[in-house]
Amino acid sequence: MSSIMVVMRRECGAYFRTPIAWIFIALQMAIMSFFFFQYSPFFIIESADMRVWFGLTPFILMVFAPAVTMRLWSDEIRTGSTEVLLSLPVRSRDLVIGKWLAAVIVLLGSVVASFGIPATLGWLASSVVDWGPIIGGYIGTVLAGMMFLALGCWVSALSSNQVVSMLLGVAVGIMLVLALSPDFASYISSSQPTLARVIESLGVQSHFQAIERGVLALSDVVYFLSGTALFLTLCVFQVELKKQ
Amino acid sequence: MIERKKQFLIQWIASIAVLVVLLVLVNGVARKFDQRLDLTAAGIHTISPETGKILSRLQEPVTLEYWVSERLPSGLQNLRRDTVDYLDEFQRAAAEAGGRVEVKVIDPARVIEQYVKEQSEDGEEKEPDPMAAFMGGPTSPADTKKQELAQQGIPELQGRSVKEDGIEVVPFYSAIVLKYLDRESEGIPVHTTLEGLEYELVSRIAKLTLESKPVLAFFQGRPEDVITQGPDGTPLPAPMSHFDPLLDALGERFEIRKVELTEESLVPDDAQLLIIAEPNGTTPRQRFEIENSIRSGRPVLILASTTSGSMDRGFQLTPLSPGMSESFGPWGIDIQPNMIVSSQSQCGSIETVTEGPLGLRMRVPQPFPVCPGSAGNNLDRTSPFTRGVQAIIFPYASPLIVNQEVAKAAGIEITTLASSDGDAWLTPFGPSVTGAMVTPPKDPALQKNRVLALVAEGKFPATFAAGSKVPSWDPTLEITGGEEDAPLVQETESKESRILLVASADMAKYTSLSMYRQNVGFLMGSIEALALDPDLAKIRGKVQISSSLRETTREERSIATYGNLVGVPLLLAVIYGLMSASRRSASRHHEAMYMLKVPAEGDDEKEGR
């Protein structure tokens, strides 16, 4: 455990002592706020909820999570520091989890930075805001974020080029969010009902949307945790492969 | 080395395969034994146990068809997904309760497309008929199908979508059709919100599965003057009663039986609800019958006030005497013989004649004064009676006085459902507009919220003493002590019952309902909540807190937008700047300390010298 914490602290330092994490969080906030206040009809619909915000979240995570994690392994591989790192008396698993946890802290930072939105809702609402779906949305953001960061960790370990890692991460993210979307499943549901059900159960959106509606279902939580576990395991495998 | 790597790869691929299988299994198990936590304040995504109870009575499967377009207008984009999820949950709840519900999601565009295709294959495609278009009839096979769907309760709707360059009108479908056996299907032609969907579905299922309509007894306390013959003696058709439009609307759902509360026309035993409209000069025997009806557990809706108004021949007011105070008094309720005046009346204006310059009589528009309304915080929107109602107008209303101590002593719980705004005042009866109806009182303490509707629940005690004579049907005999051989009042135990008392007799009349459409929703909803299954009333009471934005100024909108869009990123930049500056300063400090501590090159030599 202590080795995970050491790795995590080191990576956190790399994120927060340099402008990387700050730029990511600020950029994410600016883009999402732009879509929330300017592009969506927030002040026309006049509904004191964050559905538009959370509706954007999977798409933002799909791009930002690989961007946050692209340097985690690619940079090490490029500079050759992986060999030093892997020669240390630390298990690959601890290295992977430590790095991933540091990225999760960046995600939590972005979640905290978005608390201005619920504060705004509380300020502008005509009556009591239903906080349940908002809390659900944040739980969903953290769960989906954890999975996308695990995916980012894995693809980062695949290549020494950060841009390639990021593009690969975005590509897998697009598949999880867009290709396996409920809309696509609905499109093929009349001709291929079984495939539609499989697609819907594999896609991020159907699980995320259920949580952000304010329904925390065990199956959705298990889905995100399973995805996280799978991608972290693949990352450990990739790192172990480099050790060989 | 290669062998080792090969072995490693095999081991890992096998492990990952096992992991994938395990994860699929875990997900499958989690899906099968799914547990859900509804985080919404009102639990709107959770099907109530009451629904399960009603669905458990289903002998045959009910089919729920959700007709929904792929593309929905702005603001309804989540509707399809939310509704499908909700219907799935509904199906699951029904299965758990032992009932059978089948859900079908249908895209009307595909159905129309299929119809057009079939028509063209059959060679029945016709040229567009300009005459049909002129007459508003179908001009194409697609139109024919659309009309057919509309007749089945699946109309094409129109919504707005916000585009970059303006607003676009989007045609769409969102309707739910319920089918049970070979009975006429029930439907929700316009489904745009999940709020109240559980009630809408369950009440329709309850209706579909009912063998007969529930019975409502209706007593009109102030009979209308009916002219049955013309000046030449020819019989005239029966004119429409003030309450007929309401009763016609209720007739779709209930069997209405008008009663006169006479020896020959009593409240039927199978009546689920008694509606008393505009009681006036209620006789002791009628009061006795009403009280018996309440005490037998039958809910009652009373629309009573001490004034009735009319605009037919100018602004005219008529005094009424509900004659219910001897029952209401011991239950902690009183109807005061005044009218409520509200300066915030939303009932338009009337013309009054006033003396102008040079003694000329002038017609001056005045706000319609005796028409208080209830909205916002003055309306209890959590009650099953007022669910979905934004405002209620109470024309010619009298104030209801509640004595909670008396009610409590009688074992009755009284809840205020609607009250007027805080600046309402009282005025005594006048046949037309008086100064007191237009000018607020000088004492501001006289202006306050006035109760306009209440619900009394409990076991209502009898106000006719046991052993005393039952009042005679002939009220004149009561003056001389009643009939000699009159039966005696029996001591009976009261059952739990409910009274919904509305302080405006006129609110349910046609003239009011046509002007104040919001009252229709309130009356229909509250009658349903009173008359139907108590389980349905509970489901009806489930409301979502749908908070909207208050009226905002341009500045507030700018603060909200730019505070988050620019303010938060700027704040992050400042925090990072401060942290970097602090780190740099610490590093300079360390450097300085290091420089002080480390002797300069050659110093040792000098010291050693």
Side-chain angles (χ1 to χ4, degrees):
Chain A
M1 184 55 111
S2 63
S3 53
I4 293 176
M5 297 310 281
V6 169
V7 176
M8 188 192 83
R9 233 175 280 149
R10 173 194 169 235
E11 291 299 331
C12 272
Y15 275 127
F16 288 99
R17 284 200 186 133
T18 58
I20 301 172
W22 303 94
I23 288 173
F24 275 130
I25 297 172
L27 205 61
Q28 188 181 338
M29 269 304 297
I31 291 172
M32 288 187 75
S33 298
F34 172 77
F35 277 105
F36 187 67
F37 289 108
Q38 301 281 73
Y39 199 73
S40 87
F42 176 71
F43 285 113
I44 298 171
I45 295 174
E46 294 187 332
S47 181
D49 60 39
M50 285 177 69
R51 296 202 74 168
V52 173
W53 180 275
F54 292 121
L56 287 169
T57 301
F59 301 94
I60 292 289
L61 285 174
M62 175 180 95
V63 177
F64 274 77
V68 168
T69 52
M70 65 183 183
R71 53 161 289 282
L72 281 179
W73 288 102
S74 298
D75 211 28
E76 305 262 13
I77 298 166
R78 187 180 56 82
T79 57
S81 55
T82 336
E83 279 164 33
V84 182
L85 201 62
L86 296 178
S87 66
L88 294 173
V90 182
R91 283 185 292 184
S92 311
R93 189 190 64 190
D94 293 356
L95 282 173
V96 168
I97 294 175
K99 280 174 178 283
W100 170 75
L101 277 178
V104 170
I105 285 175
V106 177
L107 167 79
L108 293 177
S110 74
V111 166
V112 172
S114 72
F115 284 170
I117 305 291
T120 306
L121 293 184
W123 173 45
L124 297 180
S126 61
S127 56
V128 186
V129 176
D130 190 353
W131 296 109
I134 294 174
I135 294 167
Y138 276 120
I139 293 172
T141 304
V142 173
L143 286 170
M146 279 161 53
M147 192 174 99
F148 277 109
L149 291 172
L151 161 71
C153 268
W154 170 50
V155 292
S156 169
L158 290 174
S159 168
S160 60
N161 188 320
Q162 289 193 28
V163 179
V164 172
S165 295
M166 186 185 154
L167 290 176
L168 206 57
V170 173
V172 182
I174 285 173
M175 202 189 76
L176 285 172
V177 175
L178 294 174
L180 302 175
S181 69
D183 291 339
F184 181 63
S186 156
Y187 183 73
I188 60 159
S189 61
S190 53
S191 54
Q192 304 277 340
T194 317
L195 183 64
R197 271 201 297 278
V198 171
I199 283 177
E200 206 162 0
S201 60
L202 284 178
V204 166
Q205 279 202 69
S206 55
H207 296 279
F208 184 80
Q209 284 165 352
I211 299 181
E212 68 77 12
R213 241 170 356 112
V215 181
L216 192 62
L218 178 69
S219 56
D220 298 324
V221 176
V222 167
Y223 165 82
F224 286 117
L225 295 181
S226 304
T228 307
L230 177 69
F231 290 127
L232 285 179
T233 312
L234 287 171
C235 187
V236 174
F237 164 67
Q238 201 59 39
V239 172
E240 281 286 328
L241 196 62
K242 292 211 183 312
K243 249 188 189 176
Q244 300 300 313
Chain B
M1 182 71 178
I2 294 169
E3 193 55 38
R4 221 182 94 195
K5 196 162 184 173
K6 201 174 160 189
Q7 209 175 349
F8 165 82
L9 273 173
I10 292 167
Q11 256 182 9
W12 263 96
I13 289 168
S15 312
I16 287 169
V18 169
L19 178 74
V20 169
V21 171
L22 262 176
L23 291 178
V24 169
L25 278 176
V26 168
N27 275 273
V29 170
R31 203 168 254 266
K32 188 150 178 73
F33 304 100
D34 208 4
Q35 296 294 314
R36 292 151 48 96
L37 180 65
D38 190 345
L39 299 168
T40 57
I44 57 152
H45 300 294
T46 309
I47 307 294
S48 332
E50 287 79 17
T51 296
K53 253 165 83 180
I54 293 169
L55 295 178
S56 68
R57 296 176 209 151
L58 290 174
Q59 301 294 321
E60 297 293 330
V62 169
T63 307
L64 304 182
E65 289 178 355
Y66 180 34
W67 292 74
V68 61
S69 300
E70 285 284 344
R71 190 180 173 215
L72 294 170
S74 304
L76 294 179
Q77 270 143 7
N78 299 318
L79 183 71
R80 180 193 168 94
R81 184 192 73 209
D82 290 355
T83 307
V84 172
D85 283 355
Y86 191 85
L87 293 179
D88 286 345
E89 174 65 12
F90 197 82
Q91 189 178 22
R92 203 162 32 231
E96 276 171 19
R100 278 154 54 192
V101 170
E102 284 168 9
V103 176
K104 286 181 187 168
V105 182
I106 304 166
D107 180 0
R110 291 198 186 182
V111 174
I112 294 167
E113 203 179 293
Q114 183 69 25
Y115 178 80
V116 173
K117 205 173 152 191
E118 280 169 14
Q119 292 293 305
S120 61
E121 278 170 8
D122 294 348
E124 287 180 24
E125 203 171 6
K126 292 172 191 165
E127 287 293 310
D129 180 1
M131 197 58 198
F134 180 72
M135 301 293 286
T139 55
S140 63
D143 275 351
T144 310
K145 190 66 192 171
K146 278 182 188 175
Q147 285 199 356
E148 200 181 292
L149 287 176
Q151 279 163 9
Q152 289 170 25
I154 309 153
E156 188 180 49
L157 309 169
Q158 288 200 327
R160 290 181 311 164
S161 268
V162 182
K163 280 176 72 186
E164 242 177 83
D165 53 347
I167 287 171
E168 173 199 17
V169 174
V170 178
F172 72 102
Y173 285 87
S174 180
I176 300 175
V177 177
L178 297 92
K179 291 178 177 168
Y180 184 69
L181 296 173
D182 56 351
R183 294 186 189 165
E184 199 182 330
S185 61
E186 279 283 318
I188 306 169
V190 183
H191 163 67
T192 52
T193 173
L194 278 198
E195 191 175 351
L197 181 60
E198 184 177 1
Y199 173 74
E200 298 296 336
L201 292 173
V202 179
S203 62
R204 278 169 176 80
I205 289 174
K207 191 184 161 193
L208 268 177
T209 51
L210 272 178
E211 295 299 327
S212 59
K213 286 180 181 177
V215 175
L216 292 190
F218 179 81
F219 170 61
Q220 187 173 347
R222 185 180 163 219
E224 292 162 40
D225 297 328
V226 179
I227 303 165
T228 54
Q229 284 186 336
D232 54 350
T234 49
L236 295 173
M240 189 177 75
S241 151
H242 289 309
F243 297 100
D244 277 353
L246 174 70
L247 297 182
D248 285 347
L250 287 170
E252 286 181 16
R253 197 99 199 237
F254 302 96
E255 185 188 329
I256 311 290
R257 291 198 204 147
K258 287 188 179 179
V259 294
E260 289 169 8
L261 290 186
T262 58
E263 203 167 1
E264 297 78 31
S265 173
L266 288 167
V267 181
D269 287 341
D270 58 348
Q272 305 276 3
L273 168 72
L274 170 62
I275 302 174
I276 301 171
E278 206 175 13
N280 185 35
T282 311
T283 65
R285 181 58 190 252
Q286 284 176 328
R287 194 168 60 79
F288 178 77
E289 294 298 330
I290 293 169
E291 205 178 293
N292 274 353
S293 184
I294 297 169
R295 296 184 73 242
S296 69
R298 181 179 295 119
V300 178
L301 164 65
I302 304 175
L303 299 146
S305 55
T306 56
T307 311
S308 174
S310 167
M311 302 282 278
D312 295 345
R313 289 182 288 268
F315 183 67
Q316 285 182 327
L317 295 169
T318 310
L320 299 175
S321 168
M324 300 291 294
S325 53
E326 282 174 58
S327 286
F328 284 168
W331 298 340
I333 306 165
D334 186 27
I335 306 174
Q336 277 202 341
N338 289 322
M339 285 187 289
I340 302 173
V341 187
S342 169
S343 61
Q344 293 177 29
S345 162
Q346 293 168 6
C347 303
S349 58
I350 54 164
E351 280 188 342
T352 54
V353 180
T354 52
E355 199 136 316
L358 306 170
L360 291 170
R361 291 168 73 80
M362 294 170 65
R363 287 186 169 274
V364 181
Q366 294 273 4
F368 188 48
V370 279
C371 189
S374 183
N377 294 333
N378 295 323
L379 188 63
D380 176 7
R381 276 183 279 175
T382 60
S383 163
F385 302 105
T386 45
R387 189 181 62 77
V389 177
Q390 298 299 318
I392 311 173
I393 306 289
F394 297 80
Y396 318 105
S398 303
L400 301 176
I401 307 297
V402 177
N403 188 331
Q404 288 289 7
E405 278 178 27
V406 174
K408 205 174 169 187
I412 296 163
E413 195 185 329
I414 298 177
T415 316
T416 300
L417 210 59
S419 51
S420 70
D421 53 72
D423 68 353
W425 70 92
L426 302 181
T427 178
F429 172 79
S432 191
V433 177
T434 62
M437 289 182 197
V438 182
T439 321
K442 284 178 184 157
D443 182 2
L446 296 173
Q447 288 178 273
K448 57 181 178 183
N449 297 93
R450 311 282 174 177
V451 178
L452 291 164
L454 59 84
V455 183
E457 291 171 281
K459 289 181 178 177
F460 292 86
T463 60
F464 292 86
S468 65
K469 280 184 185 173
V470 171
S472 167
W473 285 109
D474 182 357
T476 54
L477 288 177
E478 287 304 301
I479 304 162
T480 55
E483 288 173 72
E484 281 201 3
D485 56 345
L488 299 179
V489 175
Q490 301 291 315
E491 193 166 352
T492 50
E493 202 184 327
S494 181
K495 289 182 185 166
E496 285 282 345
S497 190
R498 288 181 294 173
I499 298 175
L500 171 57
L501 178 58
V502 179
S504 166
D506 286 47
M507 74 144 9
K509 289 183 180 174
Y510 172 66
T511 42
S512 297
L513 293 181
S514 59
M515 283 165 76
Y516 318 123
R517 302 291 302 168
Q518 56 272 57
N519 287 3
V520 180
F522 165 65
L523 283 169
M524 298 296 284
S526 53
I527 288 169
E528 276 190 10
L530 279 171
L532 295 176
D533 196 320
D535 286 335
L536 268 178
K538 268 190 198 167
I539 300 166
R540 193 183 156 78
K542 211 164 120 177
V543 284
Q544 180 183 19
I545 301 172
S546 51
S547 181
S548 55
L549 297 184
R550 63 177 164 77
E551 217 168 280
T552 49
T553 61
R554 201 184 170 83
E555 287 74 31
E556 283 176 329
R557 286 199 292 272
S558 297
I559 292 171
T561 305
Y562 296 109
N564 287 287
L565 182 64
V566 183
V568 174
L570 266 181
L571 183 71
L572 290 169
V574 168
I575 295 172
Y576 174 69
L578 286 174
M579 278 173 63
S580 308
S582 144
R583 259 200 319 275
R584 269 200 299 275
S585 147
S587 138
R588 270 200 293 271
H589 179 74
H590 275 286
E591 238 170 62
M593 292 295 286
Y594 182 76
M595 296 289 277
L596 282 175
K597 275 187 189 165
V598 177
E601 227 174 277
D603 281 1
D604 290 346
E605 286 170 23
K606 281 178 197 168
E607 273 169 25
R609 188 177 52 187

